[in-house]
Amino acid sequence: MASRRQIVRSGAVGRSGFRHELVLHSSTEEMLEFVVPFAEEGVAAGEPTMLLVRREVAAAVLSRMKRPSHDLVILPALGQPGRGASDLRATMALLDG
């Protein structure tokens, strides 16, 4: 069966170096295939890296990281399944401080 995973990348307007990636996935394992390398790349580059993921994904990411780092911040996913627009607004409010 072909994977339905899709990755959407965008830079936020007015934010130098800010990168947002959205992964549509059908399983936790499929998400981890993307999230772990993303987090490791950010940490290796010495860049602040933030993940907003479910608790079970956070635990799996941390257990698979080669080098834990203070540059990696993992916060609980916001919102509810199927409420993408409200999740994005809540995340932007969090990032804007």
Side-chain angles (χ1 to χ4, degrees):
M1 182 164 121
S3 174
R4 297 181 315 171
R5 180 175 49 182
Q6 179 180 359
I7 300 171
V8 178
R9 297 180 176 163
S10 70
V13 175
R15 293 179 189 232
S16 177
F18 180 80
R19 188 171 100 193
H20 175 260
E21 304 214 14
L22 168 70
V23 180
L24 302 178
H25 56 88
S26 59
S27 69
T28 299
E29 189 60 37
E30 192 173 69
M31 182 175 188
L32 290 170
E33 289 174 12
F34 174 80
V35 172
V36 172
F38 173 83
E40 287 181 338
E41 287 174 21
V43 167
E47 297 175 353
T49 303
M50 180 185 298
L51 303 175
L52 279 81
V53 295
R54 296 181 316 272
R55 182 176 294 129
E56 65 273 11
V57 174
V61 168
L62 290 173
S63 72
R64 294 174 189 213
M65 290 290 293
K66 294 176 185 163
R67 293 184 315 144
S69 171
H70 66 277
D71 289 326
L72 177 62
V73 175
I74 301 178
L75 299 174
L78 302 171
Q80 303 169 8
R83 308 265 330 240
S86 63
D87 292 353
L88 288 174
R89 283 191 297 276
T91 301
M92 290 308 296
L94 174 68
L95 295 173
D96 287 340

